[in-house]
Short mmCIF file of all heavy atoms in Angstrom, two decimals:
data_model
loop_
_atom_site.label_atom_id
_atom_site.label_comp_id
_atom_site.label_asym_id
_atom_site.label_seq_id
_atom_site.Cartn_x
_atom_site.Cartn_y
_atom_site.Cartn_z
N SER U 1 107.27 111.33 123.41
CA SER U 1 108.52 112.07 123.63
C SER U 1 109.07 112.72 122.36
O SER U 1 109.93 113.59 122.42
CB SER U 1 109.59 111.13 124.21
OG SER U 1 109.95 110.14 123.27
N ALA U 2 108.57 112.28 121.20
CA ALA U 2 109.05 112.84 119.93
C ALA U 2 108.57 114.28 119.79
O ALA U 2 107.45 114.62 120.14
CB ALA U 2 108.56 111.99 118.76
N GLY U 3 109.44 115.11 119.29
CA GLY U 3 109.08 116.51 119.11
C GLY U 3 108.10 116.72 117.97
O GLY U 3 107.91 115.84 117.11
N GLU U 4 107.46 117.87 117.97
CA GLU U 4 106.50 118.19 116.92
C GLU U 4 107.20 118.21 115.57
O GLU U 4 108.26 118.79 115.40
CB GLU U 4 105.86 119.56 117.20
CG GLU U 4 104.72 119.89 116.25
CD GLU U 4 104.03 121.19 116.62
OE1 GLU U 4 104.18 121.63 117.79
OE2 GLU U 4 103.36 121.76 115.74
N GLY U 5 106.60 117.54 114.61
CA GLY U 5 107.19 117.46 113.28
C GLY U 5 108.24 116.38 113.14
O GLY U 5 108.84 116.22 112.07
N ASP U 6 108.46 115.62 114.21
CA ASP U 6 109.43 114.53 114.17
C ASP U 6 108.81 113.34 113.42
O ASP U 6 107.85 112.73 113.88
CB ASP U 6 109.80 114.12 115.60
CG ASP U 6 110.95 113.11 115.65
OD1 ASP U 6 111.12 112.36 114.67
OD2 ASP U 6 111.66 113.10 116.66
N LYS U 7 109.36 113.01 112.27
CA LYS U 7 108.79 111.95 111.44
C LYS U 7 108.88 110.59 112.11
O LYS U 7 108.08 109.70 111.84
CB LYS U 7 109.48 111.92 110.08
CG LYS U 7 109.15 113.15 109.22
CD LYS U 7 109.78 113.05 107.85
CE LYS U 7 109.40 114.27 107.00
NZ LYS U 7 110.03 114.22 105.67
N SER U 8 109.89 110.42 112.99
CA SER U 8 109.99 109.13 113.68
C SER U 8 108.83 108.94 114.65
O SER U 8 108.42 107.81 114.91
CB SER U 8 111.33 109.02 114.42
OG SER U 8 111.42 109.97 115.46
N GLY U 9 108.29 110.06 115.19
CA GLY U 9 107.11 109.97 116.04
C GLY U 9 105.91 109.48 115.24
O GLY U 9 105.10 108.68 115.73
N GLN U 10 105.81 109.96 114.01
CA GLN U 10 104.75 109.48 113.13
C GLN U 10 104.92 108.00 112.80
O GLN U 10 103.94 107.25 112.74
CB GLN U 10 104.76 110.29 111.82
CG GLN U 10 104.31 111.75 111.97
CD GLN U 10 102.81 111.86 112.22
OE1 GLN U 10 102.37 111.86 113.36
NE2 GLN U 10 102.04 111.96 111.16
N ALA U 11 106.17 107.59 112.63
CA ALA U 11 106.45 106.17 112.36
C ALA U 11 106.00 105.30 113.54
O ALA U 11 105.44 104.21 113.35
CB ALA U 11 107.94 105.96 112.09
N ALA U 12 106.22 105.80 114.77
CA ALA U 12 105.77 105.06 115.95
C ALA U 12 104.25 104.96 115.99
O ALA U 12 103.69 103.91 116.34
CB ALA U 12 106.30 105.74 117.21
N LEU U 13 103.58 106.05 115.61
CA LEU U 13 102.11 106.01 115.57
C LEU U 13 101.60 105.00 114.55
O LEU U 13 100.60 104.30 114.80
CB LEU U 13 101.56 107.41 115.28
CG LEU U 13 101.68 108.44 116.40
CD1 LEU U 13 101.25 109.82 115.92
CD2 LEU U 13 100.84 108.02 117.62
N TRP U 14 102.26 104.92 113.42
CA TRP U 14 101.86 103.92 112.42
C TRP U 14 102.05 102.50 112.96
O TRP U 14 101.23 101.61 112.68
CB TRP U 14 102.66 104.11 111.13
CG TRP U 14 102.12 105.15 110.21
CD1 TRP U 14 102.69 106.33 109.84
CD2 TRP U 14 100.86 105.10 109.51
NE1 TRP U 14 101.89 107.02 108.98
CE2 TRP U 14 100.76 106.29 108.75
CE3 TRP U 14 99.82 104.18 109.45
CZ2 TRP U 14 99.65 106.57 107.96
CZ3 TRP U 14 98.71 104.45 108.65
CH2 TRP U 14 98.64 105.64 107.92
N GLU U 15 103.11 102.29 113.73
CA GLU U 15 103.32 100.98 114.34
C GLU U 15 102.19 100.67 115.34
O GLU U 15 101.68 99.54 115.39
CB GLU U 15 104.67 100.93 115.06
CG GLU U 15 105.88 100.96 114.13
CD GLU U 15 106.10 99.64 113.43
OE1 GLU U 15 105.43 98.64 113.76
OE2 GLU U 15 106.96 99.58 112.53
N ILE U 16 101.80 101.67 116.11
CA ILE U 16 100.69 101.50 117.06
C ILE U 16 99.41 101.17 116.30
O ILE U 16 98.65 100.26 116.68
CB ILE U 16 100.50 102.77 117.91
CG1 ILE U 16 101.73 102.97 118.82
CG2 ILE U 16 99.23 102.68 118.75
CD1 ILE U 16 101.78 104.35 119.46
N PHE U 17 99.16 101.91 115.23
CA PHE U 17 97.98 101.67 114.40
C PHE U 17 97.95 100.24 113.88
O PHE U 17 96.92 99.56 113.92
CB PHE U 17 97.96 102.67 113.24
CG PHE U 17 96.89 102.41 112.21
CD1 PHE U 17 95.57 102.78 112.46
CD2 PHE U 17 97.20 101.80 111.01
CE1 PHE U 17 94.58 102.53 111.52
CE2 PHE U 17 96.22 101.55 110.07
CZ PHE U 17 94.90 101.92 110.32
N SER U 18 99.11 99.76 113.42
CA SER U 18 99.20 98.41 112.88
C SER U 18 98.88 97.37 113.95
O SER U 18 98.15 96.40 113.69
CB SER U 18 100.61 98.17 112.31
OG SER U 18 100.76 96.84 111.87
N ILE U 19 99.42 97.57 115.16
CA ILE U 19 99.16 96.63 116.26
C ILE U 19 97.68 96.64 116.62
O ILE U 19 97.05 95.57 116.79
CB ILE U 19 100.03 96.99 117.48
CG1 ILE U 19 101.51 96.69 117.20
CG2 ILE U 19 99.56 96.21 118.72
CD1 ILE U 19 102.45 97.22 118.27
N GLN U 20 97.11 97.84 116.74
CA GLN U 20 95.69 97.94 117.11
C GLN U 20 94.79 97.30 116.06
O GLN U 20 93.81 96.62 116.39
CB GLN U 20 95.32 99.41 117.32
CG GLN U 20 95.97 100.02 118.55
CD GLN U 20 95.83 101.53 118.60
OE1 GLN U 20 95.83 102.20 117.56
NE2 GLN U 20 95.71 102.07 119.80
N LYS U 21 95.14 97.51 114.80
CA LYS U 21 94.34 96.93 113.71
C LYS U 21 94.42 95.41 113.73
O LYS U 21 93.40 94.72 113.60
CB LYS U 21 94.83 97.47 112.36
CG LYS U 21 93.98 97.04 111.17
CD LYS U 21 94.27 97.91 109.97
CE LYS U 21 95.71 97.78 109.52
NZ LYS U 21 96.00 96.46 108.90
N ASP U 22 95.63 94.88 113.92
CA ASP U 22 95.80 93.43 113.97
C ASP U 22 95.07 92.80 115.15
O ASP U 22 94.61 91.65 115.07
CB ASP U 22 97.29 93.07 114.05
CG ASP U 22 98.04 93.37 112.75
OD1 ASP U 22 97.36 93.58 111.72
OD2 ASP U 22 99.28 93.40 112.77
N ARG U 23 94.96 93.56 116.23
CA ARG U 23 94.28 93.05 117.43
C ARG U 23 92.78 93.37 117.42
O ARG U 23 92.08 93.14 118.40
CB ARG U 23 94.94 93.63 118.68
CG ARG U 23 96.42 93.25 118.80
CD ARG U 23 97.06 93.92 119.99
NE ARG U 23 96.52 93.39 121.23
CZ ARG U 23 96.65 93.99 122.41
NH1 ARG U 23 97.26 95.15 122.50
NH2 ARG U 23 96.15 93.44 123.50
N LYS U 24 92.32 93.93 116.31
CA LYS U 24 90.92 94.30 116.13
C LYS U 24 90.44 95.33 117.16
O LYS U 24 89.26 95.37 117.52
CB LYS U 24 90.03 93.05 116.17
CG LYS U 24 90.31 92.07 115.02
CD LYS U 24 89.40 90.87 115.07
CE LYS U 24 89.52 90.01 113.82
NZ LYS U 24 90.89 89.58 113.51
N ASP U 25 91.38 96.17 117.58
CA ASP U 25 91.04 97.31 118.45
C ASP U 25 90.75 98.49 117.52
O ASP U 25 91.54 99.40 117.35
CB ASP U 25 92.21 97.62 119.39
CG ASP U 25 91.94 98.85 120.25
OD1 ASP U 25 90.79 99.35 120.27
OD2 ASP U 25 92.90 99.33 120.89
N TYR U 26 89.57 98.44 116.89
CA TYR U 26 89.26 99.40 115.83
C TYR U 26 89.07 100.81 116.36
O TYR U 26 89.43 101.79 115.70
CB TYR U 26 88.03 98.93 115.05
CG TYR U 26 88.26 97.60 114.37
CD1 TYR U 26 87.44 96.51 114.64
CD2 TYR U 26 89.30 97.43 113.46
CE1 TYR U 26 87.65 95.28 114.02
CE2 TYR U 26 89.52 96.21 112.83
CZ TYR U 26 88.70 95.14 113.12
OH TYR U 26 88.93 93.92 112.51
#
């Protein structure tokens, strides 16, 4: 839902990345 260039959308993606990495969903 975050608009293009919305830095908070990027922050959400980093959170997703962190969860996937911790769960070994490489």
Side-chain angles (χ1 to χ4, degrees):
S1 66
E4 187 175 341
D6 188 333
K7 291 183 178 179
S8 65
Q10 290 289 90
L13 288 173
W14 276 115
E15 291 286 351
I16 294 167
F17 172 78
S18 176
I19 290 171
Q20 291 169 327
K21 186 164 62 71
D22 290 346
R23 299 176 68 197
K24 296 181 171 54
D25 177 10
Y26 298 122

